[in-house]
Amino acid sequence: MAIENAYYGQEGHGPYELIGIGDLQLEEGGTIKDCKLAVATFGKLNAAKDNAILISTWYSGTSKIMEQVYTGKGRALDPDKYFIAIINQIGNGLSTSPHNSPDPANFPKVRIGDDVRAQHKVLTERFKIDSLALVVGGSMGAQQTYEWAVRYPEMVKRAAPIAGTAKNTEHDFVFTETLNEAITTDPAWNGGNYKSSGDVAAGLKRQAKLWTVMGWSTQFFKEGRHRALGFANMQEFVDNFMTGYFAPMDANDLLAMAWKWQRGDVSRHTGGDLRAALARINAKTFVMPISHDMFFPPDDCQAEWRLIPHAEFRPIQSIDGHLALFGADPSAVAQIDKGLSELLATKV
Amino acid sequence: MAIENAYYGQEGHGPYELIGIGDLQLEEGGTIKDCKLAVATFGKLNAAKDNAILISTWYSGTSKIMEQVYTGKGRALDPDKYFIAIINQIGNGLSTSPHNSPDPANFPKVRIGDDVRAQHKVLTERFKIDSLALVVGGSMGAQQTYEWAVRYPEMVKRAAPIAGTAKNTEHDFVFTETLNEAITTDPAWNGGNYKSSGDVAAGLKRQAKLWTVMGWSTQFFKEGRHRALGFANMQEFVDNFMTGYFAPMDANDLLAMAWKWQRGDVSRHTGGDLRAALARINAKTFVMPISHDMFFPPDDCQAEWRLIPHAEFRPIQSIDGHLALFGADPSAVAQIDKGLSELLATKV
């Protein structure tokens, strides 16, 4: 039986449309019956159907933050110029996810590739789009962006993976495991069998602390950015901002996304050969790591950039680290915007 | 009643001498009755008593690793030239610690300042030393080194804080909290009331994973250093090396050290004024952070270096990150040795 959760819904995260794609066969086996993706769109598809942009979502994020931080009139992702589809990933709470499924504790394992095939179905069948001017996303959104560019090379004209990798690292895998264990060691999680997300508050708070340590950067705290954001001290920042962010979310949804995140790897298409997989990319690609990102460090992204045929390495400078994605550092937002504008201006 | 633990003892960590200093009044209130420090010494004190070196220990470490990795004939810390005393910190399992005390679950809170006063008593009363040619230590050992240099400025001629800070950062405090919670969320920990350290295996393993993520660096794993150290993959590295390291330790001992670590702060001597505290240092000081250290990053150490009167900033380059302290990167060991040699050659 689904688990009620007021956080996920049109009120906080809409408007979006739930688009059914029928049953989704999964790479790991099993099926999601009557799979639905939550899609928010902005702007109009032009007659040539060559102005479509796909934005993918990150771990814990929904279309709402992507809309608010990354799109807008006069911005790179301008609904006056582009038809922008933000598709919520499976498991993020808006699209089909453990908490809104009949058996939350036994939701099947979903891979990035499943998401991308599902998104492809929505774009081609519902919106009749067969060309994407740009695919862009941060973190797990970058994983989906890479998967798109490798899986559908003819369809993706430009790609901007921000703060994420094409093949997840062993280091990042273990980091994500610590996030998962923060939840699963909470007795109230109970193998996924809980009544309400609030039951797992202790586990979600521990997760919030881990994000506090790794999500930002030491420099962020050294320079008092947490105080600049309005929190008197670290304790308040952890208790109110970080814990406040994760507390209303569904534990099983987070675990479903994390499982995907840990296993993101485009080299699954080429028998483990990352070079061969990235060589498939036709898209003009801007690889955009964040300077102080502690788990997708620029070095990792640069190594992948070297393997992509038409790519530029465009690091973003920000002591906000990985969570510069949240948009609290206006300079980082401006840098991303500038990068995306230049990428969109590139003839392909 | 004390908790038996075969890990801590002369067989694995000796030879050392247990030196009693009587009752130790603690800064937080309370007393350690009949406090004993485990001290390993090498070399001979000269007639002028000006060749004494104190090495302090880090979280989870004992005198043994300091001896093996940092001292030796022909090395900077050469027992042929110096009288070297390695004093195990309170709570590290060899010195008075929760597990070897009558009431492990209620061991009093100990501060870095308590350790340094206890060490001072050993050196001045037992060894009749009133001058230290060098105080050196890594991580929590650096915290003790700073405390020594600020508290006893006339006694400390040279100081080498490696990979640690004089005042712990808020970021580091939260990181350490995640380490503690890895243990305290294990139901077997039971408020410190367990029968044997093995009972808390799950908590210690979670701690080992957190250390895997933050202790080394992303580059370390990217370049396959864990495989170079003899582990086929990340899982083996976590299960055998990292978990193997922490598994035999005592959970309450680790928590006692962590509490100290979180609160290391020499500005307690000067009403919170770090500049005034560091200005007290007379020692010629080499501030030696490690380039890829994720929780004592060079920037944090450099900011403190600027406040120390006679100091040089001598960063160590190593992708082993904080755990370069373990000595698995020969280049890092050589850099530290070179720095300490130059420091010891400095006239003061």
Side-chain angles (χ1 to χ4, degrees):
Chain A
M1 207 173 71
I3 296 169
E4 288 295 319
N5 189 316
Y7 176 76
Y8 303 107
Q10 293 285 355
E11 195 176 341
H13 298 274
Y16 55 81
E17 183 184 359
L18 276 176
I19 300 179
I21 57 164
D23 295 352
L24 181 66
Q25 306 294 328
L26 300 170
E27 293 184 11
E28 291 291 306
T31 304
I32 296 179
K33 296 270 179 205
D34 190 22
C35 183
K36 291 191 177 70
L37 296 189
V39 182
T41 65
F42 305 89
K44 290 206 174 78
L45 197 59
N46 63 14
K49 291 189 173 176
D50 65 359
N51 72 331
I53 290 176
L54 169 65
I55 306 179
S56 47
T57 61
W58 56 62
Y59 177 81
S60 83
T62 74
S63 46
K64 201 65 195 171
I65 191 169
M66 304 313 302
E67 172 197 343
Q68 290 178 332
V69 176
Y70 292 90
T71 72
K73 208 176 169 67
R75 304 283 304 276
L77 307 180
D78 186 341
D80 286 356
K81 289 203 245 176
Y82 297 101
F83 171 72
I84 300 168
I86 315 180
I87 307 189
N88 292 276
Q89 67 169 303
I90 295 166
N92 89 330
L94 302 191
S95 295
T96 295
S97 300
H99 95 272
N100 59 28
S101 294
D103 188 3
N106 296 296
F107 194 74
K109 300 301 183 204
V110 180
R111 282 193 174 265
I112 298 282
D114 296 318
D115 267 294
V116 168
R117 282 186 299 111
Q119 292 166 12
H120 181 265
K121 205 167 158 88
V122 164
L123 292 178
T124 56
E125 297 183 6
R126 168 62 181 270
F127 296 105
K128 314 294 180 196
I129 289 169
D130 58 10
S131 173
L132 287 165
L134 172 68
V135 180
V136 55
S139 198
M140 283 190 74
Q143 293 183 308
Q144 293 163 65
T145 299
Y146 275 121
E147 180 73 22
W148 260 99
V150 170
R151 188 181 279 263
Y152 303 113
E154 297 312 318
M155 186 163 169
V156 181
K157 303 305 174 193
R158 298 175 192 80
I162 304 170
T165 50
K167 179 186 166 108
N168 200 25
T169 64
E170 292 183 294
H171 179 263
D172 194 86
F173 188 98
V174 177
F175 166 68
T176 312
E177 204 157 83
T178 68
L179 295 180
N180 294 343
E181 289 181 351
I183 291 173
T184 58
T185 55
D186 185 340
W189 175 67
N190 189 25
N193 297 290
Y194 49 87
K195 286 235 161 45
S196 112
S197 175
D199 297 346
V200 198
L204 292 169
K205 177 165 189 167
R206 286 201 292 277
Q207 161 136 197
K209 271 191 199 164
L210 287 169
W211 273 105
T212 306
V213 172
M214 293 282 290
W216 309 92
S217 74
T218 51
Q219 288 82 350
F220 173 89
F221 295 105
K222 183 171 181 53
E223 299 192 12
R225 287 269 301 138
H226 55 312
R227 287 187 289 273
L229 291 175
F231 301 90
N233 52 46
M234 186 60 136
Q235 196 62 49
E236 279 195 18
F237 186 71
V238 170
D239 290 348
N240 299 332
F241 186 72
M242 296 301 292
T243 303
Y245 176 73
F246 283 105
M249 297 184 189
D250 180 80
N252 291 329
D253 289 4
L254 290 172
L255 291 169
M257 285 184 279
W259 194 93
K260 252 195 274 185
W261 166 10
Q262 291 182 293
R263 291 161 183 82
D265 179 6
V266 296
S267 79
R268 285 164 52 81
H269 292 286
T270 49
D273 183 340
L274 183 62
R275 178 181 298 272
L278 293 175
R280 291 189 180 182
I281 298 177
N282 279 325
K284 173 74 180 178
T285 304
F286 277 14
V287 174
M288 304 175 86
I290 297 165
S291 59
H292 288 61
D293 194 323
M294 291 169 87
F295 44 97
F296 298 104
D299 277 3
D300 286 356
C301 300
Q302 192 169 34
E304 294 184 339
W305 160 70
R306 291 184 205 285
L307 306 179
I308 303 170
H310 316 286
E312 293 184 26
F313 186 64
R314 298 283 192 119
I316 308 301
Q317 294 299 316
S318 176
I319 62 169
D320 281 17
H322 190 66
L323 295 183
L325 290 171
F326 279 7
D329 175 2
S331 159
V333 174
Q335 291 171 66
I336 291 171
D337 231 42
K338 181 165 180 293
L340 296 180
S341 292
E342 289 181 30
L343 179 55
L344 282 164
T346 307
K347 293 277 173 253
V348 290
Chain B
M1 205 173 69
I3 296 169
E4 287 296 317
N5 190 315
Y7 176 77
Y8 304 107
Q10 293 285 355
E11 195 176 342
H13 298 274
Y16 55 81
E17 183 185 358
L18 278 176
I19 300 178
I21 57 165
D23 295 351
L24 180 66
Q25 307 292 329
L26 300 170
E27 293 184 10
E28 291 291 307
T31 304
I32 296 179
K33 296 272 180 202
D34 189 20
C35 183
K36 291 191 177 70
L37 296 189
V39 182
T41 67
F42 306 89
K44 290 205 175 78
L45 198 59
N46 63 13
K49 291 189 173 177
D50 64 0
N51 72 332
I53 290 176
L54 169 65
I55 306 179
S56 47
T57 61
W58 55 63
Y59 177 80
S60 83
T62 74
S63 46
K64 201 64 196 170
I65 191 169
M66 305 312 302
E67 173 199 341
Q68 291 179 332
V69 177
Y70 293 90
T71 72
K73 208 176 169 64
R75 304 282 306 274
L77 308 180
D78 185 342
D80 286 356
K81 290 202 241 176
Y82 298 100
F83 172 72
I84 300 168
I86 315 179
I87 308 189
N88 291 277
Q89 67 169 304
I90 295 167
N92 89 329
L94 302 191
S95 295
T96 294
S97 299
H99 95 272
N100 60 28
S101 294
D103 188 3
N106 295 295
F107 194 74
K109 300 301 182 204
V110 181
R111 281 192 175 266
I112 298 282
D114 297 317
D115 267 294
V116 168
R117 283 186 299 108
Q119 293 166 11
H120 183 264
K121 205 167 158 88
V122 164
L123 293 177
T124 56
E125 297 183 6
R126 167 64 181 270
F127 296 105
K128 312 297 181 195
I129 289 169
D130 58 10
S131 173
L132 286 165
L134 172 68
V135 180
V136 56
S139 197
M140 284 190 73
Q143 293 183 308
Q144 293 162 66
T145 299
Y146 276 121
E147 180 73 21
W148 261 99
V150 169
R151 188 181 281 262
Y152 303 114
E154 297 312 319
M155 187 163 169
V156 181
K157 302 306 173 193
R158 299 174 192 80
I162 305 171
T165 50
K167 179 185 165 111
N168 200 25
T169 63
E170 291 182 296
H171 178 263
D172 194 86
F173 188 98
V174 177
F175 167 66
T176 313
E177 204 157 82
T178 67
L179 295 180
N180 294 342
E181 290 181 350
I183 292 172
T184 58
T185 55
D186 184 340
W189 176 66
N190 189 26
N193 298 291
Y194 49 86
K195 286 233 162 47
S196 112
S197 175
D199 297 346
V200 198
L204 292 170
K205 177 163 188 167
R206 285 200 292 276
Q207 160 135 197
K209 271 191 200 165
L210 288 169
W211 273 105
T212 306
V213 173
M214 292 281 290
W216 308 92
S217 74
T218 51
Q219 288 82 351
F220 173 89
F221 295 105
K222 182 172 181 54
E223 299 193 11
R225 288 269 302 136
H226 55 312
R227 287 187 289 272
L229 291 174
F231 300 91
N233 52 46
M234 186 62 136
Q235 196 62 49
E236 278 196 19
F237 186 71
V238 170
D239 289 348
N240 300 330
F241 187 74
M242 297 302 291
T243 303
Y245 176 73
F246 283 106
M249 297 184 189
D250 181 81
N252 290 329
D253 288 4
L254 290 172
L255 292 169
M257 285 184 279
W259 195 93
K260 253 194 270 183
W261 166 9
Q262 290 182 296
R263 292 161 182 82
D265 180 5
V266 297
S267 79
R268 286 164 51 83
H269 292 286
T270 49
D273 183 341
L274 183 63
R275 179 181 297 272
L278 293 175
R280 291 188 181 183
I281 297 177
N282 278 325
K284 173 73 180 179
T285 304
F286 278 14
V287 174
M288 303 174 85
I290 297 166
S291 59
H292 288 61
D293 194 323
M294 289 169 88
F295 44 97
F296 298 105
D299 277 4
D300 286 356
C301 300
Q302 191 169 34
E304 294 185 338
W305 160 71
R306 292 184 204 286
L307 305 178
I308 304 170
H310 316 287
E312 294 185 26
F313 186 65
R314 297 283 192 121
I316 309 300
Q317 293 299 316
S318 177
I319 61 168
D320 281 18
H322 190 65
L323 295 183
L325 290 171
F326 278 7
D329 175 1
S331 159
V333 174
Q335 292 172 64
I336 292 171
D337 232 42
K338 181 166 182 291
L340 296 180
S341 292
E342 290 181 30
L343 179 55
L344 282 164
T346 308
K347 294 277 172 253
V348 289

